[in-house]
Amino acid sequence: MRFSRVVQQHSPLSGRGFKAVRLWHEDYGGLADPFLLVDHFRMSDAVFPAHPHAGFSPLTYVFPDSPNSMRHADTLGNRLLIHPGSLHWTLAGRGLQHKEDPEVLGSPVHGLQIWLNLPSARKFDEPQIFHRESKEIEERDGVRWIADPLAAQQTPQPFGMVDVHRRAGESFSFSLPREWQTLAYVYGDGALAIEKNGDQRIAPGGSSFAFAGTDAITFRAQSETRFVLLAGLPQRESIVVEGPFVMNTHDQIADAIRRYRAGEFGKLI
């Protein structure tokens, strides 16, 4: 089993009506693949105008405690609300535009924005969306099973995600396919202990780490703790990130920019 270092999140992103801390894939020694970034955000204003994406899947998860919903619109014609506890998945593929704003301006939306890479064979797929309402997500014993990595695939890509609440001394055991990699983020206060084959890590609140090479692992809360686990199948491909585009080569990035400027991603007002 391989662990990354424990990364303490710092240098929060901040602006009018928006605050976030960012988890960036390069901090985990390759063990966060296929996840590119995770933003833990609170947004209370219409901060981001309509913008393009291509070559990856942006996911929005609104925490159940969020005081507000997120309003989503895209150039596929979708208009919907992402309610507290819900997951919205945009498989951008060859390209589209979208925007997501708080339903009620001035009231914060609390959530995660997750960038999940697409493998090279799917970077030019037709864009699509996948939406899972809170009521469709199984919740038991303080765990929200947003996507079970051992269940039959019900998401556009191989993906696992759980949102866990544990009190002091309580544990949680997570099982996944051995070849997958997992990114763990302690998003509230508290502290999490992880032990496997005599190797123990302590992750305090606001920290994250990644691991690979196991099909089961147990976490134990040292105090009341909330954390999320994101699991996926690593791609081990070269990536080039240019703003909202994620491709395998610089030529593909240039082509995505050309297609966007030519209007091929549609228009969203």
Side-chain angles (χ1 to χ4, degrees):
M1 183 175 179
R2 292 170 291 145
F3 278 110
S4 76
R5 65 188 179 95
V6 174
V7 179
Q8 188 68 43
Q9 306 316 131
H10 55 84
S11 301
L13 309 173
S14 184
R16 180 180 61 87
F18 181 80
K19 292 183 179 180
V21 294
R22 173 165 292 178
L23 285 61
W24 181 244
H25 69 100
E26 292 182 346
D27 290 334
Y28 306 97
L31 295 179
D33 183 4
F35 300 100
L36 300 165
L37 68 79
V38 178
D39 280 347
H40 177 198
F41 69 85
R42 285 177 171 82
M43 183 166 66
S44 58
D45 207 344
V47 178
F48 303 106
H51 55 279
H53 286 304
F56 71 102
S57 292
L59 284 62
T60 300
Y61 174 61
V62 178
F63 283 112
D65 71 353
S66 177
N68 198 359
S69 299
M70 187 79 83
R71 191 185 303 277
H72 170 93
D74 61 48
T75 47
L76 302 180
N78 299 294
R79 303 288 187 275
L80 55 86
L81 291 175
I82 311 171
H83 295 110
S86 300
L87 175 74
H88 184 78
W89 185 313
T90 300
L91 193 155
R94 60 180 287 103
L96 84 169
Q97 292 196 70
H98 77 173
K99 62 179 178 179
E100 291 179 346
D101 301 320
E103 180 188 15
V104 179
L105 297 182
S107 176
V109 180
H110 177 210
L112 299 177
Q113 172 88 171
I114 303 159
W115 284 23
L116 174 59
N117 197 18
L118 278 167
S120 57
R122 299 196 62 189
K123 286 193 178 295
F124 297 94
D125 282 4
E126 289 299 318
Q128 60 176 288
I129 70 161
F130 169 86
H131 189 82
R132 179 163 288 167
E133 287 284 359
S134 180
K135 63 185 179 182
E136 301 175 79
I137 293 172
E138 181 181 4
E139 183 170 355
R140 61 181 189 274
D141 300 327
V143 181
R144 307 193 79 236
W145 291 90
I146 299 152
D148 186 342
L150 296 184
Q153 186 174 331
Q154 298 175 328
T155 55
Q157 297 171 242
F159 176 71
M161 181 176 178
V162 291
D163 182 2
V164 185
H165 174 211
R166 283 291 180 264
R167 294 181 174 85
E170 293 181 338
S171 63
F172 172 69
S173 295
F174 187 57
S175 298
L176 68 160
R178 179 174 287 270
E179 67 272 20
W180 284 29
Q181 299 191 150
T182 303
L183 178 60
Y185 172 46
V186 183
Y187 67 85
D189 295 330
L192 201 60
I194 315 98
E195 186 169 344
K196 184 75 174 183
N197 299 329
D199 186 3
Q200 186 182 68
R201 303 291 169 94
I202 303 296
S207 70
S208 58
F209 62 94
F211 61 90
T214 184
D215 53 11
I217 188 168
T218 297
F219 306 84
R220 186 172 300 278
Q222 296 197 318
S223 57
E224 187 168 6
T225 305
R226 288 176 168 83
F227 62 100
V228 292
L229 301 174
L230 303 171
L233 184 65
Q235 296 161 12
R236 299 187 176 91
E237 297 177 343
S238 62
I239 61 170
V240 180
V241 180
E242 183 75 27
F245 307 126
V246 181
M247 293 294 176
N248 299 113
T249 68
H250 290 283
D251 286 346
Q252 289 174 340
I253 290 287
D255 179 65
I257 294 172
R258 178 195 62 77
R259 291 186 292 106
Y260 167 60
R261 290 175 174 170
E264 294 183 23
F265 290 16
K267 186 175 182 180
L268 187 63
I269 300 174

